[in-house]
């Protein structure tokens, strides 16, 4: 959970100490878990984290004897030779009890792939919920899932999930169980429903995994979900009072037959795109029937079982899902996620600054691959330009990436990409044509290292990025920085059986270029150095470089029978700038965030579970101006009949905004409040409905009322019909024009 306040508002000078609400939250956090002795005696902890209080569950993979056809039917002789695991424990709804339906899971290991077969018994197979959905969509049905920690480092894993219709999800998983579904490996799964329940058969090629050949042991977790019962069971049971993480997986043994295949994939492509349309008469570049040929090559090579080299020449991203259209009237850039396969694979290795904070301001992303191959920054225009033939995107001439884990335990990622000088051809009113550079030749470099110690309880890492552009083009030199460098370190420490964690990171940035390009950076919406009342900032149109730093630290209580929470501090100095190869929308800001939560997961007479938490966010700039204050109380729960609802109240006592006037003086925000609520019917039914309503007000007389009912009908497993009307009435008396 991450309760985020308004966008981070630029860094500022030391604030006059930590706000009182934050100190109260910290004292509450430290006091409540004195009960954290409840964590110390966790009955099912792994030996490295709980002194061997209970053995780690294990399953042995059997060598394949004969062939296995992935058809969802476990009828090959090889499956009968594999010893099954049958011990599954409920996490929901009756925590700690045995599963209500039997499950048998077997694992086979071959030369090229790992096979998982599951027999999922069901005494009423007619009520098995099966849906047809797209890959990585919500399965909305019964399912079986496999988690693999193939490095057995208790830090990162991958997930493979399948439902009774054979629809699949896959994702990479970080140390706390958070999933990134942008990872799309090549694997197969088939399922069948019969009189005993359903079965599923999964094939996972070793070429899609990074794994160690040393001890022949992987981390593994199996989970089963029965939709009509809302029953979630698992092989390696983790009580809700403990953090659900990769470190809590069981063990998969028998992986000693693996070798280091020199797996090589070469994928050449050729493409011709044609456009047929009406064009203005006299256009020297288009005749209404235009072809755009392209060719390129992708390479993937398994250097070792744990190191993979990816390379591409003029990659083809024509099949990548198009970004949704966004009308952005704000001063800040819209964030678009990376979808291109070359950059998505191994993206978890380059991720920097993981935090278990439950409440923080917007994150800073030091490496955002969408910066590589972006649209050209310059488009010639003016009264003399009669016709223009300009590229819509920057070509990636070549890119290479090495990712994986070394024999001595270092996780590494190195990426280098080159984009060429892009030119547009324009014809002036006299008919003369001229080539105009619209994007300079640019080299992008990223390196990432990370090392875990003490069974994943201590993690340290580093990151370095570099962007270097060719100079010599007057217009482009005035727009773009010549070079940009970012370096940083991050740190995560867990203790008390991972119930507590401390997360921290530090980034340092430096950019250089022409005086005009650095002046633009000073005046950007991230900092507005030209603000007339910002005495802590100095706008200098002659400077040719800019540097800064950002820091983050968070203390988190991740687990406990009832109490959890976090306390977070973030800082962005005025000169911090990473947008050449990263993403940020604010600098000149400091922020402190807190959250204290009480959970009750044991079903009672009225609720199946309920949660109450309160959180606060405060930020100020380096001049000491308070730019955001917010406090909230949130109540959420599920009734015994599976209806869900929540109620939230927020209060903002008023603050200043140093971005609203876009380079002008500070603006005042009036005090304001909000009350919102939502209720949803039992999601197990084919017809579900609910509504959300909210009301807001401020001291300037502003009012907002809204209501949004919804109805969802699923007449067949492959069809969903949704109705989501909304009504909003507002009166805003505090608007800058």
């Amino acid at each position: 959970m991450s309760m985020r306040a308004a966008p981070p508002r630029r860094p500022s000078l030391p604030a006059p100490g930590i706000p009182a609400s934050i100190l109260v939250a910290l004292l509450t956090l430290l006091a409540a878990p004195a009960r954290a002795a409840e964590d110390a005696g966790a009955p099912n902890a792994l030996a490295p984290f709980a002194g061997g209080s209970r053995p780690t569950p294990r399953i042995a993979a059997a060598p394949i004897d004969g062939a296995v056809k992935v058809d969802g039917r476990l009828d090959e002789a090889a499956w009968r030779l594999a010893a099954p695991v049958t011990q599954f424990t409920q996490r929901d709804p009756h925590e700690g009890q045995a599963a209500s339906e039997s499950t048998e899971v077997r694992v086979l290991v071959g030369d090229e792939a790992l096979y998982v077969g599951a027999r999922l018994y069901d005494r009423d197979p007619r009520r098995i919920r099966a849906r047809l959905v797209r890959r990585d969509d919500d399965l909305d049905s019964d399912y079986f899932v496999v988690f693999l920690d193939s490095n057995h480092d208790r830090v990162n894993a991958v997930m493979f999930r399948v439902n009774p219709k054979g629809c699949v999800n896959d994702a990479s998983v970080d140390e706390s169980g958070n999933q990134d579904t942008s990872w799309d490996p090549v694997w197969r799964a088939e399922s069948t429903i019969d009189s005993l329940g359903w079965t599923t058969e999964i094939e996972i090629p070793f070429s899609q995994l990074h794994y160690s050949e040393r001890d022949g042991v992987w981390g593994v977790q199996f989970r089963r979900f029965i939709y009509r019962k809302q029953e979630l069971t698992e092989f390696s049971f983790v009580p809700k009072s403990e953090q659900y993480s990769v470190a809590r997986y069981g063990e998969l043994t028998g992986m000693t037959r693996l070798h280091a295949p020199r797996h090589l994939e070469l994928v050449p492509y050729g493409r011709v795109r044609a456009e047929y349309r009406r064009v203005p008469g006299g256009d020297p570049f288009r005749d209404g029937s235009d072809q755009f040929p392209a060719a390129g090559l992708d390479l993937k090579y398994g250097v070792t079982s744990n190191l993979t080299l990816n390379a591409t020449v003029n990659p083809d991203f024509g099949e990548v899902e198009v970004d949704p259209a966004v009308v952005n009237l704000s001063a800040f850039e819209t964030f678009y996620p990376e979808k291109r396969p070359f950059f998505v694979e191994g993206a978890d290795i380059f991720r920097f600054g993981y935090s278990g904070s439950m409440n923080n301001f917007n994150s800073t992303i030091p490496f955002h691959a969408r910066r590589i191959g972006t649209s050209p920054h310059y488009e010639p225009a003016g009264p003399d330009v009669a016709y223009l033939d300009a590229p819509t995107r920057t070509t990636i001439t070549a890119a290479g990436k090495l990712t994986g884990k070394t024999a001595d335990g270092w996780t590494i990622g190195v990426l280098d990409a080159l984009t060429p000088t892009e030119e547009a051809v324009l014809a002036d009113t006299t008919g003369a044509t001229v080539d105009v550079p619209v994007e300079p030749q640019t080299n992008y470099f990223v390196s990432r290292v990370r090392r875990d110690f003490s069974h994943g309880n201590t993690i340290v890492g580093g990151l370095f990025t570099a962007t270097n552009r060719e100079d010599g083009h007057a217009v482009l030199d005035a727009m773009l920085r010549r070079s940009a460098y970012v370096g940083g370190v991050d740190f995560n420490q867990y203790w008390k059986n991972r119930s507590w964690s401390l997360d921290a990171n530090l980034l340092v940035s430096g950019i250089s270029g022409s005086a005009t390009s650095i002046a633009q950076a000073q005046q950007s919406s991230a900092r507005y150095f030209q603000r007339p009342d910002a005495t802590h900032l100095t706008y200098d149109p002659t400077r040719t470089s800019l540097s800064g730093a950002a820091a983050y630290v968070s203390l988190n209580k991740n687990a406990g029978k009832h109490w959890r929470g976090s306390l977070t501090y973030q800082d962005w100095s005025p000169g911090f700038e990473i947008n050449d190869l990263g993403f940020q929308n604010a600098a000149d800001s400091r922020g402190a965030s807190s959250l204290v939560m009480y959970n009750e997961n044991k079903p009672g007479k009225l609720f199946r579970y309920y949660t109450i938490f309160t959180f606060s966010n405060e930020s100020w700039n380096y001049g000491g101006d308070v730019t955001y204050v917010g406090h909230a109380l949130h109540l959420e729960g599920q009734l015994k009949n599976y209806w869900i609802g929540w109620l939230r109240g927020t209060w903002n006592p008023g603050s200043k905004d140093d971005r609203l006037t876009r380079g002008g003086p500070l603006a005042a925000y009036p005090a304001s409040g909000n009350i919102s609520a939502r209720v949803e019917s039992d999601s197990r039914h084919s017809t579900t409905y609910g509504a959300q309503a909210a009301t807001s007000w401020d001291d300037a007389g502003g009012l907002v009322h809204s209501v949004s009912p919804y109805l969802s009908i699923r007449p067949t497993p492959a069809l969903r019909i949704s109705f989501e009307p909304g009504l909003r009435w507002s009166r805003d008396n505090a608007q800058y024009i």
Side-chain angles (χ1 to χ4, degrees):
M1 180 184 310
S2 178
M3 315 308 303
R4 298 179 194 270
R9 315 207 182 226
R10 306 56 52 180
S12 40
L13 269 181
I18 296 178
S21 63
I22 304 301
L23 292 176
V24 172
L26 178 59
L27 291 175
T28 306
L29 262 175
L30 295 176
R35 299 168 214 203
E38 65 195 9
D39 300 321
N44 195 45
L46 293 176
F49 302 97
S53 59
R54 183 171 173 179
T56 300
R58 291 180 173 86
I59 179 173
I64 284 185
D65 183 8
V68 171
K69 180 181 179 182
V70 181
D71 56 5
R73 305 178 190 277
L74 307 178
D75 50 9
E76 291 89 357
W79 290 115
R80 293 191 291 273
L81 299 177
V85 292
T86 59
Q87 185 67 40
F88 278 72
T89 306
Q90 289 191 46
R91 186 172 171 88
D92 283 315
H94 304 296
E95 182 183 6
Q97 294 187 17
S100 66
E101 303 285 354
S102 298
T103 302
E104 295 179 356
V105 181
R106 294 172 169 85
V107 179
L108 299 174
V109 56
D111 292 333
E112 303 294 337
L114 184 74
Y115 297 85
V116 180
R119 158 57 74 179
L120 305 112
Y121 292 97
D122 197 309
R123 282 167 284 189
D124 192 356
R126 293 173 300 177
R127 299 182 65 192
I128 292 173
R129 178 143 165 158
R131 297 292 192 223
L132 288 173
V133 299
R134 298 176 61 186
R135 181 172 183 167
D136 289 340
D137 279 356
D138 181 9
L139 292 180
D140 191 32
S141 63
D142 288 40
Y143 64 73
F144 174 74
V145 59
V146 179
F147 295 92
L148 291 176
D149 172 14
S150 52
N151 280 313
H152 203 210
D153 58 10
R154 300 179 175 89
V155 176
N156 294 294
V158 290
M159 179 202 79
F160 304 90
R161 180 161 45 197
V162 60
N163 77 355
K165 287 286 187 181
C167 299
V168 300
N169 297 157
D170 41 45
S172 59
V173 183
D174 67 22
E175 56 260 47
S176 293
N178 301 312
Q179 299 175 6
D180 180 0
T181 58
S182 62
W183 181 65
D184 287 321
V186 178
W187 60 292
R188 291 194 297 166
E190 295 290 342
S191 302
T192 60
I193 299 176
D194 56 28
S195 61
L196 298 178
W198 63 288
T199 58
T200 188
E201 208 166 14
I202 299 172
E203 179 188 41
I204 305 170
F206 293 131
S207 63
Q208 305 302 302
L209 304 172
H210 289 145
Y211 57 90
S212 171
E213 305 167 58
R214 287 178 296 177
D215 55 10
V217 178
W218 293 7
V220 69
Q221 174 71 297
F222 305 119
R223 296 182 116 187
R224 178 186 180 181
F225 184 64
I226 303 175
Y227 196 93
R228 70 180 184 276
K229 300 180 179 182
Q230 295 292 287
E231 179 179 305
L232 180 64
T233 59
E234 55 192 15
F235 163 64
S236 180
F237 173 64
V238 182
K240 292 181 181 178
S241 60
E242 300 179 17
Q243 185 190 37
Y244 189 82
S245 68
V246 177
R248 319 304 273 166
Y249 290 1
E251 291 183 345
L252 173 63
T253 63
M255 306 302 289
T256 54
R257 289 186 59 191
L258 305 186
H259 58 283
R262 295 296 186 265
H263 180 78
L264 176 64
E265 294 179 10
L266 290 174
V267 183
Y269 82 89
R271 183 194 69 219
V272 176
R273 179 171 60 90
E275 290 184 0
Y276 301 95
R277 60 180 181 174
R278 293 182 180 180
V279 298
D283 188 334
F285 308 121
R286 301 289 180 91
D287 61 8
S289 177
D290 303 290
Q291 291 77 40
F292 305 90
L297 176 69
D298 296 334
L299 176 147
K300 181 177 181 179
Y301 177 63
V303 181
T304 69
S305 64
N306 224 351
L307 286 173
T308 301
L309 174 66
N310 295 82
T312 184
V313 177
N314 192 26
D316 177 21
F317 298 131
E319 300 302 318
V320 175
E321 182 180 353
V322 177
D323 293 315
V326 176
V327 178
N328 185 353
L329 301 180
S330 75
F332 304 101
E333 179 185 7
T334 300
F335 177 83
Y336 292 105
E338 181 57 77
K339 301 176 182 179
R340 297 171 294 180
F342 176 83
F343 295 105
V344 166
E345 183 177 356
D348 57 311
I349 290 177
F350 292 95
R351 198 169 294 122
F352 176 89
Y354 169 80
S355 172
S357 172
M358 301 177 189
N359 180 27
N360 52 41
F361 287 89
N362 292 353
S363 300
T364 297
I365 305 173
F367 172 48
H368 183 41
R370 287 292 294 261
R371 301 298 187 194
I372 303 173
T374 186
S375 300
H377 287 84
Y378 176 55
E379 182 176 350
D384 294 333
V385 179
Y387 300 98
L388 180 66
D389 183 18
T392 58
R393 66 178 180 88
T394 303
T395 304
I396 300 176
T397 303
K401 177 174 62 175
L402 180 68
T403 56
K405 196 163 189 175
T406 65
D408 55 357
W410 286 94
T411 299
I412 63 170
V414 180
L415 183 148
D416 193 77
L418 178 68
T419 60
T421 300
E422 296 285 357
E423 294 185 334
V425 185
L426 64 85
D428 61 22
T429 53
T430 67
T433 61
V434 60
D435 295 338
V436 179
V438 294
E439 183 74 14
Q441 177 177 296
T442 308
N443 183 259
Y444 301 93
F445 176 80
V446 185
S447 63
R448 172 75 163 132
V449 295
R450 190 176 69 239
R451 178 71 186 270
D452 55 277
F453 304 90
S454 183
H455 303 287
N457 280 327
T458 302
I459 305 172
V460 295
L463 176 82
F464 175 74
T465 75
T467 305
N468 289 284
R469 296 185 174 93
E470 178 187 52
D471 58 8
H473 308 295
V475 174
L476 297 177
D477 290 348
M479 298 175 61
L480 303 171
R481 275 87 74 164
R482 183 169 54 253
S483 63
Y485 302 101
V486 177
V489 293
D490 57 349
F491 170 80
N492 307 97
Q493 177 65 55
Y494 299 91
W495 66 94
K496 274 207 165 182
N497 209 17
R498 286 186 169 245
S499 294
W500 289 82
S501 68
L502 178 67
D503 308 309
N505 66 71
L506 174 66
L507 285 166
V508 178
S509 71
I511 60 173
S512 62
S514 67
T516 306
S517 68
I518 301 303
Q520 288 182 354
Q522 294 178 76
Q523 298 179 80
S524 74
S525 59
R527 49 191 61 83
Y528 290 134
F529 275 22
Q530 72 273 30
R531 279 174 35 217
D533 54 355
T535 57
H536 65 289
L537 301 174
T538 301
Y539 171 61
D540 180 0
T542 65
R543 68 186 305 170
T544 56
S545 64
L546 189 68
S547 60
Y552 182 108
V553 61
S554 180
L555 174 66
N556 315 297
K557 187 176 190 296
N558 308 304
K561 183 177 180 182
H562 293 300
W563 292 97
R564 303 186 185 191
S566 65
L567 179 63
T568 305
Y569 174 77
Q570 295 171 265
D571 192 304
W572 301 265
S573 77
F576 183 67
E577 174 59 54
I578 61 172
N579 277 323
D580 291 88
L581 194 48
F583 186 90
Q584 72 174 101
N585 60 11
D588 186 19
S589 177
R590 283 176 168 154
S593 309
S594 63
L595 182 144
V596 177
M597 174 187 295
Y598 181 87
N599 283 316
E600 179 53 78
N601 292 310
K602 184 177 181 180
K605 294 182 179 180
L606 181 60
F607 290 97
R608 300 186 66 81
Y609 73 84
Y610 65 85
T611 298
I612 303 172
F613 61 86
T614 180
F615 62 93
S616 295
N617 300 81
E618 302 181 36
S619 68
W620 54 95
N621 63 26
Y622 266 61
D625 304 306
V626 177
T627 53
Y628 183 84
V629 181
H631 311 288
L633 177 66
H634 182 102
L635 299 88
E636 180 177 337
Q638 184 180 56
L639 299 173
K640 292 297 289 291
N641 63 0
Y642 290 95
W643 280 59
I644 295 177
W646 56 257
L647 174 68
R648 175 181 292 193
T650 64
W651 170 246
N652 304 87
S655 60
K656 304 287 178 60
D657 193 321
D658 54 3
R659 296 296 184 269
L660 185 65
T661 59
R662 304 196 180 189
L666 285 167
Y669 262 124
S672 61
N674 171 274
I675 296 176
S676 57
R678 183 175 178 88
V679 62
E680 302 177 17
S681 69
D682 186 349
S683 64
R684 298 175 301 167
H685 298 159
S686 296
T687 299
T688 58
Y689 48 91
Q692 182 168 328
T695 183
S696 304
W697 65 93
D698 63 47
D699 284 356
L703 286 172
V704 179
H705 304 298
S706 65
V707 60
S708 304
Y710 83 91
L711 172 66
S712 177
I713 303 172
R714 195 136 202 180
T716 72
L719 177 65
R720 183 202 296 267
I721 303 172
S722 298
F723 302 92
E724 299 182 11
L727 177 64
R728 185 176 187 272
W729 181 87
S730 66
R731 181 180 69 208
D732 194 349
N733 291 339
Q735 174 64 46
Y736 171 75
I737 300 177

